[in-house]
Amino acid sequence: MDNNHLFQKFIAFTAAVHQITNDISRDVNSDGLTPLQYKIVEYIAVSQPVTLSEISDCMNMSMPNTSRELRKLSEKGLCTRITDPADRRRQGITLSAAGETLMNEAFGQIAVRFEQRIAALSAEERKETEQALDLLQQKVFYLN
């Protein structure tokens, strides 16, 4: 397969992922979070513990802006900083109990919308979809 053709399919796929992500997560945010704050909390939920620099890189934000948003999330009681006992200069960021509750509710709403999207798939098609997602995770979306 031509690499440019594969790349074009990848671009179309990632654009579709962003669109579907927006569609199924629309209006799940309560608690008065900005869209950016919700994305940060969501990232922490699936990747915790994370560092300030990991959040900054993932959100494509400067470190001062990331720090400011984390401070706001901490003030809302949604995340906490945990000092690494092996290196006291390093802090991990995790969700608080309130943050976990918020994300469990959000993911519950997203799961319902996801199920609606795949409702027409047969058991075999669901299995194929799961295998395709596993393959993409292993071959394309792995972390370095």
Side-chain angles (χ1 to χ4, degrees):
M1 176 181 266
D2 175 14
N3 279 344
N4 188 45
H5 183 68
L6 178 60
F7 177 71
Q8 294 303 319
K9 284 185 172 253
F10 173 74
I11 294 299
F13 176 79
T14 55
V17 167
H18 287 293
Q19 183 62 50
I20 296 303
T21 300
N22 288 334
D23 289 349
I24 67 173
S25 63
R26 183 171 293 137
D27 302 326
V28 297
N29 172 20
S30 58
D31 267 12
L33 297 179
T34 66
L36 176 61
Q37 289 170 343
Y38 173 80
K39 285 189 170 293
I40 292 171
V41 173
E42 184 180 66
Y43 175 69
I44 296 169
V46 298
S47 303
Q48 60 186 331
V50 295
T51 63
L52 181 68
S53 62
E54 288 170 334
I55 296 170
S56 178
D57 289 344
C58 182
M59 299 296 148
N60 197 26
M61 296 172 58
S62 70
M63 292 287 274
N65 286 345
T66 305
S67 185
R68 182 175 47 254
E69 292 302 326
L70 281 173
R71 182 180 41 77
K72 292 175 186 176
L73 291 170
S74 292
E75 289 170 358
K76 292 180 182 203
L78 298 175
C79 66
T80 58
R81 293 178 187 245
I82 299 171
T83 302
D84 183 346
D87 181 354
R88 301 203 42 85
R89 296 170 296 174
R90 185 176 165 98
Q91 290 187 327
I93 299 155
T94 61
L95 294 183
S96 66
E100 291 282 353
T101 299
L102 175 75
M103 289 316 300
N104 286 339
E105 291 171 2
F107 287 153
Q109 292 175 11
I110 292 169
V112 168
R113 293 175 184 174
F114 175 72
E115 185 57 41
Q116 291 169 345
R117 288 194 67 82
I118 65 169
L121 298 182
S122 68
E124 181 62 29
E125 289 170 324
R126 287 174 187 242
K127 184 70 174 166
E128 289 172 350
T129 302
E130 181 179 2
Q131 290 169 342
L133 290 170
D134 288 342
L135 183 63
L136 283 169
Q137 186 69 33
Q138 293 168 3
K139 303 296 182 181
V140 179
F141 297 111
Y142 60 88
L143 298 175
N144 292 333

